[in-house]
Amino acid sequence: MAKIPNEAFSPDSSYRDTIGTIDEEGNRKYIYPKKPSGKFYDYRKWVSYFLLIILIVNPFIKINGNQFMMFNIIERRFNIFSFPFWPQDFYLFVLFMVIGVVFVILFTVIFGRIFCGWVCPQTIFMEMVFRRIEYWIEGDRGAQIRLEKQEWNAEKIRKKTAKWAIFLLISFLIANVFLAYIIGSDDLFRMIKDGPRNHASTLISLFIFTAVFYFIFSWFREQVCIIACPYGRLQGVLLDKKSINVAYDFVRGEKEVGRAKFNKQEDRAAAGKGDCIDCKQCVNVCPTGIDIRNGVQLECINCTACIDECDTIMEGVGLPKGLIRYASEDEIEKKIKFKFTARMKGYSAVLIILTGILIGLLFLRNDVEASILRLPGQLFQHKGDNISNIYTFKIINKTNNNFNDIHFKLVGIKGTLKVVGKQDFKVPQLGMNGGTLFIEINKNLLESDKTKLIIDVYNGNEKIETGTTSFLSPRSFD
């Protein structure tokens, strides 16, 4: 937090020595946030429900036969926006991830931790699914605190059991969706159809994922954002006084005297009192338990709950809204409007360049990939006037078409190419096939001991790919 030229605003800096979810003895302090309401919360609900729909249906949507999103780490196959990426395309996947990171960094520099409050799946599930179920069953902040303190009677057992059972069911459903992203929706449906006995290992994985999600959303909760997630720590190096955050207007809130309880009989402006009436509703509504009035903190996820709550209070006491709002520190302290800085332009330029490179590489990417490599440890063989080399080959079919008549042709030099086994073979859709082949070339046609060969790959009469390899021969034929 920047140094403030107003002596009236001098918060206790000890809040930086600990976090809002840990008490003085180091024990976990549970957060019971008040149920938010207001303009921004309504916006967040619509954004969250839209993103939830996308998140849930993504692995079950297919375009041109490809799953829209899939991250099959086991087989090292990835689908992004229905484009399949094989291990040979890993550089494209890495570039896509780098672009995502740069995009998040750019938004952090401009808008702070807005990703966490509006887009992050952890926040969406926690605040818009599990927390809302909790409000429905146990009531608002006060009711939850009273329920937690009361003895284990029939009411408490009924409410807690209902909540935990629903949490467990939702965690199981999330785990199934998560599994569909990893192994593919087709395999998931096949396993469900076959029954759990035939896929015991997958069922165990499903139970593990369910337990992890249940643990996160029923107990660990905001600790994911505060402790586990490294993104919050990035704020220290990414944010500056020009970044827009959910911020408390300390200039208006404190003024000469500082905060004071509201008294409708007095003129606060004449008394030099700030607009903050110290109601602490911004603290009660915070899902991470912080006091936004202390300044920018890593625990703040920019969820805007404090904005809505403060606006409601200001409206109730007849003071202007916006005491807590989206604003930069320079805007609050120096009244400087937001400007697109050189730093932001630099990140934008990097993002545009990387995106252009990715688009170019995607256009250059082949639907079929052929690799033809000399067999390791083998040089060449003499067969009369011919020289023979042995190769291994692999054909990867990234399309949804079956190739039923794959064969090879030498280009630019006369020679014989023989595939071990059938000369024509098949490569299934989104699959691969490989084998061994021999190439024989007359020694009189070879001009050096290492000749570059071009080999066309055909499916029937259609050329689908061109591969290159090297052909070894003696340095001298004398």
Side-chain angles (χ1 to χ4, degrees):
M1 186 172 63
K3 184 178 180 181
I4 302 167
N6 193 319
E7 295 181 357
F9 183 49
S10 55
D12 182 4
S13 62
S14 63
Y15 75 93
R16 294 196 182 277
D17 300 333
T18 183
I19 56 178
T21 54
I22 302 295
D23 62 21
E24 294 180 356
E25 297 178 356
N27 299 318
R28 170 77 180 275
K29 186 168 64 176
Y30 286 88
I31 303 297
Y32 300 96
K34 181 181 177 182
K35 184 179 180 180
S37 62
K39 177 181 67 175
F40 283 105
Y41 186 66
D42 290 339
Y43 291 158
R44 282 180 58 223
K45 281 194 293 187
W46 287 111
V47 171
S48 297
Y49 296 150
F50 174 73
L51 293 177
L52 275 174
I53 292 172
I54 292 177
L55 183 68
I56 293 171
V57 304
N58 259 343
F60 306 103
I61 295 177
K62 287 190 175 182
I63 298 178
N64 296 326
N66 296 324
Q67 187 170 310
F68 191 70
M69 284 287 186
M70 183 177 71
F71 304 94
N72 192 333
I73 303 173
I74 301 171
E75 299 178 5
R76 294 180 296 170
R77 286 177 52 195
F78 305 91
N79 286 1
I80 300 178
F81 303 136
S82 78
F83 288 102
F85 293 87
W86 289 70
Q88 292 78 7
D89 298 320
F90 190 68
Y91 67 99
L92 291 174
F93 179 76
V94 171
L95 184 57
F96 188 88
M97 293 296 103
V98 170
I99 289 173
V101 170
V102 174
F103 182 78
V104 171
I105 288 175
L106 174 61
F107 259 69
T108 304
V109 170
I110 300 175
F111 296 110
R113 210 172 171 179
I114 192 172
F115 171 84
C116 297
W118 291 77
V119 181
C120 178
Q122 161 68 20
T123 304
I124 291 174
F125 276 113
M126 185 68 252
E127 301 302 324
M128 297 300 174
V129 179
F130 290 89
R131 194 88 77 183
R132 288 177 66 82
I133 292 172
E134 201 164 52
Y135 291 136
W136 172 55
I137 295 174
E138 295 185 355
D140 209 340
R141 169 183 164 82
Q144 290 181 25
I145 294 175
R146 289 192 298 272
L147 182 68
E148 196 64 31
K149 291 180 178 179
Q150 77 182 47
E151 297 294 330
W152 281 93
N153 54 22
E155 179 194 12
K156 186 170 182 177
I157 292 173
R158 184 181 69 254
K159 289 183 177 181
K160 291 292 184 181
T161 302
K163 183 182 76 169
W164 292 336
I166 294 174
F167 279 12
L168 188 61
L169 175 62
I170 296 176
S171 298
F172 180 73
L173 295 176
I174 296 173
N176 276 273
V177 174
F178 184 73
L179 198 62
Y181 275 101
I182 296 179
I183 66 174
S185 56
D186 290 341
D187 286 347
L188 178 64
F189 288 136
R190 178 176 57 81
M191 291 177 181
I192 294 173
K193 184 178 180 181
D194 292 344
R197 291 184 179 180
N198 298 319
H199 303 281
S201 60
T202 304
L203 185 64
I204 293 173
S205 300
L206 186 62
F207 287 155
I208 292 174
F209 287 142
T210 300
V212 169
F213 289 127
Y214 181 76
F215 168 75
I216 289 174
F217 294 116
S218 65
W219 188 83
F220 205 49
R221 302 192 150 201
E222 72 284 339
Q223 304 293 351
V224 173
C225 306
I226 297 174
I227 299 174
C229 180
Y231 181 51
R233 273 74 179 165
L234 287 176
Q235 291 187 102
V237 295
L238 295 177
L239 299 184
D240 55 26
K241 293 183 178 181
K242 298 175 178 57
S243 301
I244 298 175
N245 269 302
V246 172
Y248 166 65
D249 189 341
F250 52 83
V251 175
R252 173 188 155 193
E254 309 299 320
K255 293 187 179 177
E256 292 84 8
V257 176
R259 308 166 191 166
K261 295 296 182 180
F262 179 71
N263 183 352
K264 62 181 180 180
Q265 303 298 330
E266 70 175 346
D267 186 344
R268 295 181 68 88
K273 295 180 179 180
D275 283 356
C276 177
I277 65 172
D278 206 21
C279 62
K280 292 186 171 57
Q281 292 305 306
C282 59
V283 181
N284 293 337
V285 80
C286 179
T288 58
I290 67 168
D291 188 341
I292 191 65
R293 298 173 298 175
N294 284 330
V296 177
Q297 298 157 68
L298 68 85
E299 298 100 315
C300 178
I301 58 172
N302 282 20
C303 68
T304 69
C306 55
I307 296 180
D308 284 331
E309 196 65 22
C310 186
D311 282 349
T312 301
I313 297 297
M314 291 293 103
E315 188 175 25
V317 298
L319 293 172
K321 296 181 181 180
L323 183 60
I324 302 175
R325 64 182 186 275
Y326 275 117
S328 67
E329 194 171 323
D330 276 352
E331 179 184 345
I332 291 174
E333 187 174 357
K334 303 176 182 178
K335 306 302 179 185
I336 299 175
K337 295 296 183 181
F338 171 77
K339 292 183 180 179
F340 210 68
T341 64
R343 186 185 181 202
M344 298 172 187
K345 292 176 183 177
Y347 282 123
S348 300
V350 172
L351 182 63
I352 292 171
I353 292 171
L354 290 176
T355 304
I357 293 173
L358 177 63
I359 293 173
L361 291 174
L362 286 174
F363 276 110
L364 295 174
R365 175 177 175 268
N366 294 330
D367 291 333
V368 180
E369 189 166 321
S371 61
I372 304 171
L373 304 173
R374 292 185 61 260
L375 189 66
Q378 297 290 325
L379 293 177
F380 51 83
Q381 293 178 332
H382 289 273
K383 292 187 176 181
D385 289 337
N386 292 338
I387 304 297
S388 174
N389 280 202
I390 184 171
Y391 299 85
T392 60
F393 67 88
K394 183 183 291 184
I395 309 296
I396 299 175
N397 180 7
K398 303 175 185 177
T399 71
N400 291 294
N401 301 318
N402 292 312
F403 297 151
N404 299 316
D405 184 17
I406 297 291
H407 54 276
F408 303 94
K409 289 183 181 180
L410 274 173
V411 178
I413 191 170
K414 188 177 181 181
T416 303
L417 188 153
K418 295 181 179 179
V419 177
V420 177
K422 290 185 177 181
Q423 295 300 302
D424 301 328
F425 58 94
K426 298 179 180 180
V427 182
Q429 61 177 359
L430 299 175
M432 66 175 70
N433 203 344
T436 306
L437 61 83
F438 290 90
I439 297 178
E440 293 183 13
I441 299 176
N442 190 286
K443 63 183 182 180
N444 297 319
L445 300 177
L446 301 171
E447 299 179 354
S448 67
D449 59 339
K450 190 174 183 179
T451 305
K452 180 180 178 181
L453 297 183
I454 299 175
I455 302 172
D456 285 341
V457 183
Y458 282 82
N459 177 43
N461 296 322
E462 178 188 4
K463 185 172 75 171
I464 56 175
E465 175 64 323
T466 298
T468 60
T469 188
S470 60
F471 188 90
L472 296 185
S473 59
R475 291 180 181 275
S476 172
F477 297 104
D478 296 335

